[in-house]
Amino acid sequence: MNRPRLRHLVLVVAGTVLVGSGLALTRVPPRADAPDIGPPVAAAAAAPELPSETPDAVPPPPPELPPPPPPVAAAPVTVSLPAAPEPVPLVPVGVLASGALQLPERPTVLGWYAAGAVPGDAAGTAVIAGHVDSARYGAGPLEGLLDLGEGDLVEVTDATGDTHRYAVTARTSFAKSALPAELFRADGPPQLALVTCGGAFDERTGNYADNVVVVAVPVT
């Protein structure tokens, strides 16, 4: 009657040895040549390829920057004439539908042709024009253009306070229908043109027959 108990004891001891052997197997350290197991493919991003570097590699030169644009002259606000005791105010003007240059009503205010060159520009003719006189307001400062001579100085002050000086080189009269178009060019050498009415006065129409143009060049 002791044999079954002994057999049972043998089986329990054998099972215990097997379990102990299993625990021992699970604790065996990995071999040195065992491959690593990386993260799951879905959760890992591929590492970017790094460019190969050589000791003699020279970095490319920086891109060449374009030259800065030339400075833009500010709009003129006054002009000083030899015969005018005070600087004369300037306002920007354009062209009427008839093609004639728009002018301020008062002869004491002159117009600067804003679509052309600006006094102080490196090229082009800056045009300043106005009425020589008016039946309502009387004579204006441009009446003195008829007496300007070569070398007389004209000064234009812009909105920044800079003053641009010009010396008179010529005074010419043109019929109103023959005012040269190149007078309003935005290219060519820098110069200043002062324009007003002149010539014979027509009592019937109230207009002068000519335009008087005084041209001046910059004084450095």
Side-chain angles (χ1 to χ4, degrees):
M1 296 182 62
N2 292 332
R3 289 181 180 178
R5 182 178 298 178
L6 178 60
R7 182 183 299 175
H8 178 70
L9 179 61
V10 172
L11 292 174
V12 170
V13 172
T16 303
V17 172
L18 290 174
V19 173
S21 300
L23 289 175
L25 290 175
T26 59
R27 293 182 179 177
V28 174
R31 297 177 303 169
D33 59 348
D36 292 333
I37 300 176
V41 175
E49 291 187 8
L50 298 177
S52 60
E53 295 184 2
T54 60
D56 299 330
V58 178
E64 185 176 352
L65 299 177
V72 178
V77 292
T78 62
V79 56
S80 297
L81 303 170
E86 299 291 338
V88 183
L90 293 172
V91 295
V93 297
V95 177
L96 301 173
S98 62
L101 189 64
Q102 181 186 18
L103 297 178
E105 181 182 4
R106 293 176 178 268
T108 52
V109 178
L110 306 182
W112 158 63
Y113 181 52
V118 183
D121 273 349
T125 302
V127 177
I128 293 176
H131 294 298
V132 65
D133 57 19
S134 166
R136 180 177 180 182
Y137 299 106
L142 288 186
E143 187 178 39
L145 291 188
L146 305 178
D147 299 323
L148 286 183
E150 185 175 356
D152 286 344
L153 295 180
V154 177
E155 296 182 344
V156 180
T157 303
D158 63 29
T160 67
D162 289 339
T163 299
H164 309 281
R165 305 176 72 224
Y166 295 85
V168 174
T169 58
R171 186 182 72 242
T172 310
S173 293
F174 299 93
K176 285 196 173 182
S177 59
L179 193 64
E182 59 266 21
L183 187 66
F184 299 91
R185 62 187 301 173
D187 57 356
Q191 57 185 10
L192 176 71
L194 302 169
V195 185
T196 193
C197 298
F201 181 74
D202 189 335
E203 294 283 354
R204 181 178 58 85
T205 62
N207 294 321
Y208 289 91
D210 299 333
N211 285 129
V212 177
V213 178
V214 171
V215 175
V217 297
V219 175
T220 58

